[in-house]
C-alpha cells in the first residue's frame, strides 16, 4: 500500500553434485559480462547473486538491498541475533541498519575498505569468487558483490545467523527460518516512501 515501486529478484539454483557442476579453475562469464575464476565452488551463492544485482539494476532499480545467507563466518562473529550490512555508501548503509533495528531485524554496519578489492584479482579472469586467504570472508564476499551492484545506492545484508536458527533463541523465534529481512524491507520501504512524499 505504499507509493513506491518495488522489484524483487530471487536468484536460485541447486547446489548439487553433477557432471556439469562448477569446479575450481573454471572460468564463467556473468550476466554483467565480467569473467570470474571459480576458486571455491562452495561460494556459488555470490555468483548467482551477482547476476541478480545486475538484472535488478538493468531493470531500473535505483536503490538496491540484497539479503543473503552468504557466509558462515559472519554468523561465527555475530551469532544468531545480528546481520551484517555492507555498502560503499555509508548513508545508505546506515539507512538500512536503522530500518533493521527499528523493525526488530537487528543489523550492524560492517566496513567495505578498498584494501580488500585486490584480494579478488585473478590472473585468468576479471575476478575470482574468493580471496584464497583465511581472513575477512564476509568483507571479501561483499567486495565481490560490489563489482556487480552498478551505480547508485546498494547494500548487502549477510544474514545467515538470524535467518536460520539452529535452536530456539528464547524470544519470538523458535528453531528454523525466522523470516529475517521481511520486517527490515517493509520498514525501509515505509521510510523511503515517507521521505519521497515530504
Amino acid at each position: 500500500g505504499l507509493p513506491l515501486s518495488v522489484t524483487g529478484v530471487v536468484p536460485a539454483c541447486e547446489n548439487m553434485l553433477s557432471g556439469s557442476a562448477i569446479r575450481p579453475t573454471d572460468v564463467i562469464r556473468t550476466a554483467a559480462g565480467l569473467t570470474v575464476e571459480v576458486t571455491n565452488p562452495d561460494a556459488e551463492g555470490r555468483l548467482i547473486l551477482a547476476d541478480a544485482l545486475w538484472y535488478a539494476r538493468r531493470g531500473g532499480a535505483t536503490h538496491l538491498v540484497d539479503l543473503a545467507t552468504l557466509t558462515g563466518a559472519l554468523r561465527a562473529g555475530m551469532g544468531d541475533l545480528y546481520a551484517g550490512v555492507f555498502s560503499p555508501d555509508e548513508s545508505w548503509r546506515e539507512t538500512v541498519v536503522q530500518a533493521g533495528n527499528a523493525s526488530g531485524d537487528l543489523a550492524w554496519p560492517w566496513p567495505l575498505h578498498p584494501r580488500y578489492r585486490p584480494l579478488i584479482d585473478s590472473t585468468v579472469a576479471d575476478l575470482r569468487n574468493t580471496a584464497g586467504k583465511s581472513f575477512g570472508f564476509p568483507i571479501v564476499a561483499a567486495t565481490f558483490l560490489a563489482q556487480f551492484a552498478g551505480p547508485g545506492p546498494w547494500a548487502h545484508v549477510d544474514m545467515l545467523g538470524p535467518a536460520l536458527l539452529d535452536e530456539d533463541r528464547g524470544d519470538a523465534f523458535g528453531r528454523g527460518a525466522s523470516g529475517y529481512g521481511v520486517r527490515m524491507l517493509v520498514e525501509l520501504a515505509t521510510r523511503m516512501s515517507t521521505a519521497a512524499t515530504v
Side-chain angles (χ1 to χ4, degrees):
L2 298 173
L4 199 67
S5 176
V6 177
T7 299
V9 179
V10 181
C13 67
E14 289 187 315
N15 183 1
M16 296 181 67
L17 297 174
S18 81
S20 59
I22 58 173
R23 294 178 288 267
T25 74
D26 281 354
V27 174
I28 63 170
R29 183 172 301 278
T30 64
L34 294 173
T35 56
V36 177
E37 176 190 3
V38 175
T39 52
N40 183 342
D42 194 40
E44 83 293 342
R46 67 196 66 179
L47 297 174
I48 61 171
L49 191 48
D51 281 353
L53 291 170
W54 171 86
Y55 181 84
R57 197 67 89 179
R58 187 187 73 160
T62 59
H63 294 69
L64 295 180
V65 179
D66 75 70
L67 296 100
T69 56
L70 209 58
T71 67
L74 199 134
R75 179 171 65 172
M78 299 290 286
D80 65 1
L81 196 57
Y82 281 84
V85 181
F86 302 80
S87 178
D89 181 331
E90 291 187 12
S91 174
W92 181 238
R93 182 187 67 192
E94 187 57 27
T95 298
V96 174
V97 167
Q98 287 179 5
N101 291 338
S103 68
D105 283 341
L106 301 180
W108 195 263
W110 275 61
L112 257 187
H113 194 279
R115 157 73 176 83
Y116 293 85
R117 174 58 187 85
L119 296 178
I120 56 173
D121 282 342
S122 169
T123 58
V124 298
D126 295 315
L127 305 165
R128 56 189 192 170
N129 72 329
T130 61
K133 304 281 186 188
S134 59
F135 59 78
F137 298 128
I139 303 172
V140 169
T143 299
F144 177 85
L145 293 174
Q147 312 312 305
F148 300 90
W154 158 76
H156 163 58
V157 181
D158 194 331
M159 62 170 193
L160 177 60
L164 293 172
L165 303 177
D166 293 334
E167 56 191 33
D168 191 323
R169 206 165 59 184
D171 53 17
F173 303 104
R175 185 175 183 273
S178 69
Y180 181 94
V182 174
R183 295 168 293 273
M184 171 190 279
L185 293 178
V186 169
E187 178 66 21
L188 183 60
T190 301
R191 290 175 178 221
M192 289 180 69
S193 64
T194 301
T197 58
V198 171

